[in-house]
Amino acid sequence: MEIHRDHEGGEEGPWVREGLLVVVSAPSGAGKTTLCKEVVKYIPDIQHSVSYTTRSARPSEVDGSDYHFVSVGTFKNMIDEDAFIEWAVVHGNYYGTSRKELTLLLNSGIDLILDIDSNGAKQIRKTFRNGLFCYILPPSFAALRERLMVRKGDSMDEINRRMKVAGEEVKDYGMYDYLIINDNFDRALAELKSVIVSARIRVERINRAWVENNFFEKRGG
């Protein structure tokens, strides 16, 4: 399914120029990053926001594509410079979203999908109240543990720590607009695509000048 959009703004198109911010959160291992990367292949004019982190890259990860991998010192300097619109310490590592990069893309009319934890989502929601907020859950905690085991990137101590954190993070699901259960990847992807397309055509995103000029009766003159 392809949705083509006119980003010209003014009187030239039906939709506002500002991009839509899509925030996706989930317990570690629930599949949010994979879903976010996959959805951009199907929906035009949307990009996966690349966060900054101080954790080490996994073997399959590429700097600048999966994350911007930086040192703790660099990250703290960016905090001091107010470079992040949100940042948090997750599983002992720093993660943050660049204020400049996010604002530049949204102002250019590009929709952004951002996968962050619930604490980061709370910070984002204070600024982007009209964003789209989705929470991803695995079918069960047992399934989540199994996925973390299969990933083979973490020690048992790390897996146990992630499971403990997941138990706390899940309590925040009520602050989101949509809940997607990732028990079948294709179905979860279809649901995520559907809510993004629906959010794009909400009435509050309409370019009212375009509607008035094209459909309202001209009076006077």
Side-chain angles (χ1 to χ4, degrees):
M1 174 174 56
E2 290 193 358
I3 302 295
H4 295 282
R5 304 170 67 204
D6 183 348
H7 286 302
E8 293 305 314
E11 300 180 1
E12 300 181 23
W15 308 110
V16 296
R17 180 176 176 83
E18 291 80 9
L20 171 70
L21 181 62
V22 181
V23 177
V24 180
S25 302
S28 177
K32 69 180 184 301
T33 301
T34 304
L35 283 168
C36 289
K37 288 183 176 180
E38 193 68 16
V39 80
V40 301
K41 299 178 182 178
Y42 294 93
I43 301 180
D45 299 325
I46 188 168
Q47 292 186 19
H48 185 207
S49 177
V50 181
S51 300
Y52 285 76
T53 185
T54 61
R55 77 162 172 79
S56 300
R58 297 189 178 105
S60 62
E61 291 178 327
V62 177
D63 184 34
S65 177
D66 295 285
Y67 286 96
H68 297 295
F69 295 98
V70 298
S71 67
V72 173
T74 296
F75 197 102
K76 288 184 175 180
N77 286 337
M78 294 178 72
I79 293 174
D80 293 338
E81 295 167 359
D82 197 27
F84 297 118
I85 195 165
E86 64 81 25
W87 67 272
V89 179
V90 183
H91 305 301
N93 297 297
Y94 288 85
Y95 292 82
T97 302
S98 167
R99 185 186 306 276
K100 181 179 179 180
E101 292 178 14
L102 184 144
T103 302
L104 179 63
L105 289 169
L106 291 178
N107 287 344
S108 299
I110 300 297
D111 293 345
L112 277 179
I113 188 165
L114 175 63
D115 62 283
I116 54 177
D117 73 336
S118 57
N119 288 325
K122 290 175 185 176
Q123 296 177 54
I124 289 284
R125 191 146 208 169
K126 294 176 182 178
T127 305
F128 294 92
R129 295 186 179 276
N130 292 328
L132 173 65
F133 292 77
C134 297
Y135 199 79
I136 311 295
L137 277 177
S140 67
F141 271 117
L144 181 65
R145 177 177 288 277
E146 182 178 349
R147 291 177 187 181
L148 290 173
M149 296 282 290
V150 169
R151 193 163 67 181
K152 297 180 180 179
D154 302 309
S155 66
M156 281 305 304
D157 286 344
E158 180 64 18
I159 290 173
N160 290 332
R161 185 157 66 100
R162 288 177 183 269
M163 289 297 299
K164 182 178 180 180
V165 172
E168 293 299 316
E169 289 183 343
V170 167
K171 297 176 183 178
D172 291 326
Y173 80 94
M175 65 169 276
Y176 292 80
D177 304 310
Y178 296 92
L179 179 67
I180 296 173
I181 309 300
N182 187 15
D183 57 346
N184 177 284
F185 183 82
D186 289 339
R187 181 166 57 242
L189 178 61
E191 291 174 347
L192 182 57
K193 288 159 58 180
S194 295
V195 297
I196 293 172
V197 171
S198 297
R200 281 180 163 183
I201 57 176
R202 290 187 303 206
V203 169
E204 58 262 34
R205 291 181 57 78
I206 196 74
N207 177 356
R208 295 181 182 273
W210 181 88
V211 176
E212 292 172 5
N213 287 332
N214 284 276
F215 296 98
F216 288 12
E217 181 180 356
K218 301 294 191 299
R219 300 181 183 277

